[in-house]
Amino acid sequence: MAEKMDRRAFLEFAAVTGAFAASVPVKRPKMRNGRTSAAPELDEITVADLQQSMASGQFTSRAVTEAYIQRINDTNSQGPMLRAVLEINPDALTIADTLDAERKAGKVRGPLHGIPVLIKDNIATRDRMQTTAGSLALIGVNPPRDSFVASRLRDAGAIIMGKTNLSEWANFRSTHASSGWTGRGGQCRNPYALDRSPSGSSSGSGSATSANLCAISVGTETDGSVVSPSTNCSLVGIKPTVGLISRAGIIPISHSQDTAGPMTRTVADAAALLGALTGLDPRDRATAASKGKAESDYSRFLDAGGLKGARLGVCRAHFMGYSRRTDDLIEEAITALRAQGAIIVDPADIPTAGKFDDDEYTVLVYEFKADLNAYLAEYAADGPAKTLADLIAFNDQQKGSELQYFGQEIFQQAEAKGPLTDPRYLKALRRCRLLSRTEGVDLVMRKHRLDALIAPTGGPPSLIDLVNGDPSGGGSFSTPAAVSGYPHITVPAGYVLGLPVGLSFMGQPWTEGKLIKYAYAFEQATKARKAPRFLPTAPVEMVTK
């Protein structure tokens, strides 16, 4: 795409392609040993490998970027129709040329120099790409500046190669939505089984990175939106402490819980990306708390022996028992942790797990209205939608493209809420902090003198269901970390009938380095990740046991 499509043309285009995406017959891409034949040298390649290859002259940044773009073209809107990438940066190759010239002149900015990155389409960029949260309502709107995340990536020498699909409005529009669906991009798919959900809301970042359509990617999370697509797509995902990464310029849900985070195929890549994204930002007051606690280089925590002596507590109640095969896989993971020298405290349950879900939702719907209206006023001032009420009206006018599968109940609930001085909001916020922190994570970790808590990140990916939306059930381990604002890392643990499952490590604020150390040691000991094969459905066979 060399130029932006005008707003009317894009709306007409999306009305056709958005509905079309979920119903096109599945065609698998050309394969070679279970992997895509386009640029097979990029399959499962790491950031360090790319840097070494570019330093030796084997690759250039331009060649790598061209190869990834070809892979996207081969799998995104044809072949398996992943619908993971919404658009390619029309300036990506020009940026790559500039970075190649810098390298030739002896200037290498750091570990991300010349590395193609995909970012979620709720992270603002001041360039020729869109920033829409997957909604047709923000097509043609020009942010006044880069988000902090985009600016940090550019400063680090990364190439922002494109924007990824997501769950529209970060999965905060309807109570019955299908994760990975947007009016702009249609339904994103899971590369392990194309009829399975990539999960939300950073669905495209998860699907694209797992499918090797980029080197690394950035997602965002309010509750589960980094770690859930990461576990569903067999990735490493880091949801950092709230305030470690600035949210300025990211289309929001909640200032209490929102954060960006790395989504990568290896822990080492996640560590490299996380360090590039940290920093103080006067546009986000939450980052002030990270002063003296953030790292610019998390690679120093990559210790294959890092589990020795670590006290890890197993959270069973509320987070296990809903999937026998997932539980079996986690038991194998616990055995592997013990073999690496970890001290396992089992169980070490969070006593308040499941008791603050309603309060969390109350906080989110109040903050969504206030925070989104503030974002629209600053970053979408030249667009037609100035408020949440305007977006509701837009969706009603565009029912055929925006409301064809599910509604906007959450939008309507949020619009009905009062200001952030409302006593109901303040009470819910206090309860969230008390139950998730003081009487929850803090209590159990202090009681057992733990370094981290562990649990399955979630169950295997569910079937895509555009009729009923995502299924309920199963205890996602994302919520305690999300509500408390504490760090959370998921790492591939294995597969249930070919479907990915991740192991989670959660800790106290600003302990990302420790969690990276534990996750890396587990990853190196197990080597659990396997590249996806773009199967039409999960390879489920008759199981007798």
Side-chain angles (χ1 to χ4, degrees), residues 466-538:
L466 288 168
V467 176
N468 299 305
D470 294 341
S472 58
S476 171
F477 196 54
S478 66
T479 298
V483 178
S484 64
Y486 292 177
H488 178 186
I489 298 180
T490 182
V491 62
Y495 301 84
V496 171
L497 302 178
L499 299 172
V501 171
L503 174 69
S504 281
F505 296 84
M506 180 174 62
Q508 300 282 187
W510 320 112
T511 59
E512 284 80 4
K514 287 175 63 174
L515 299 184
I516 286 170
K517 180 170 65 173
Y518 305 148
Y520 181 76
F522 175 79
E523 173 195 60
Q524 295 304 299
T526 59
K527 300 288 187 179
R529 175 175 160 83
K530 300 176 182 177
R533 294 186 291 154
F534 305 96
L535 298 177
T537 191

Side-chain angles (χ1 to χ4, degrees), residues 58-231:
Q58 179 185 358
F59 295 155
T60 63
S61 180
R62 182 186 180 95
V64 171
T65 305
E66 285 180 329
Y68 276 127
I69 290 173
Q70 184 59 55
R71 292 171 74 98
I72 292 169
N73 290 336
D74 287 348
T75 61
N76 192 63
S77 56
Q78 60 180 344
M81 301 282 288
L82 285 182
R83 295 288 184 188
V85 181
L86 288 175
E87 65 180 316
I88 298 296
N89 186 349
D91 299 314
L93 297 180
T94 300
I95 296 169
D97 287 339
T98 299
L99 293 166
D100 281 333
E102 287 186 9
R103 185 184 296 275
K104 188 174 182 180
K107 177 183 178 182
V108 176
R109 303 188 192 189
L112 299 189
H113 187 103
I115 302 295
V117 179
L118 290 174
I119 65 174
K120 188 175 177 180
D121 183 40
N122 62 348
I123 302 173
T125 53
R126 178 67 174 177
D127 53 20
R128 292 197 287 165
M129 290 188 290
Q130 307 282 341
T131 304
T132 69
S135 171
L136 303 178
L138 295 187
I139 293 296
V141 174
N142 296 304
R145 67 187 68 85
D146 270 345
S147 61
F148 181 88
V149 165
S151 177
R152 292 292 287 170
L153 288 170
R154 296 192 207 278
D155 290 346
I159 300 162
I160 302 178
M161 186 172 62
K163 296 286 186 79
T164 58
N165 204 0
L166 64 156
S167 304
E168 189 171 300
W169 295 107
N171 230 359
F172 211 70
R173 197 195 82 186
S174 173
T175 55
H176 295 86
S178 171
S179 287
W181 185 92
T182 63
R184 184 180 174 195
Q187 178 65 54
C188 181
R189 304 180 189 220
N190 191 312
Y192 286 89
L194 298 172
D195 60 351
R196 296 275 167 169
S197 174
S199 191
S201 68
S202 304
S203 316
S205 295
S207 179
T209 308
S210 187
N212 288 277
L213 305 188
C214 59
I216 51 179
S217 70
V218 180
T220 68
E221 174 164 331
T222 304
D223 186 342
S225 293
V226 164
V227 297
S228 184
S230 292
T231 190

Side-chain angles (χ1 to χ4, degrees), residues 344-368:
I344 303 298
V345 179
D346 188 3
D349 294 324
I350 300 172
T352 54
K355 296 180 180 180
F356 44 86
D357 294 4
D358 291 343
D359 290 306
E360 178 194 19
Y361 187 72
T362 297
V363 169
L364 297 188
V365 290
Y366 270 96
E367 292 188 356
F368 180 63

Side-chain angles (χ1 to χ4, degrees), residues 2 30 95 111 130 205 212 257 279 292 302 384 394 430 435 443 480:
K30 295 179 180 178
I95 296 169
Q130 307 282 341
S205 295
N212 288 277
Q257 296 183 199
L302 301 175
F394 176 90
R430 286 193 299 270
L435 295 176
L443 188 151

Side-chain angles (χ1 to χ4, degrees), residues 380-417:
D382 64 339
K386 304 289 194 294
T387 64
L388 175 58
D390 292 340
L391 294 173
I392 293 171
F394 176 90
N395 290 336
D396 283 335
Q397 294 165 4
Q398 299 290 332
K399 288 182 179 179
S401 53
E402 283 289 358
L403 304 182
Q404 57 182 313
Y405 296 119
F406 44 87
Q408 52 181 337
E409 303 89 356
I410 296 176
F411 269 23
Q412 293 162 337
Q413 291 169 15
E415 178 58 27
K417 297 300 181 184

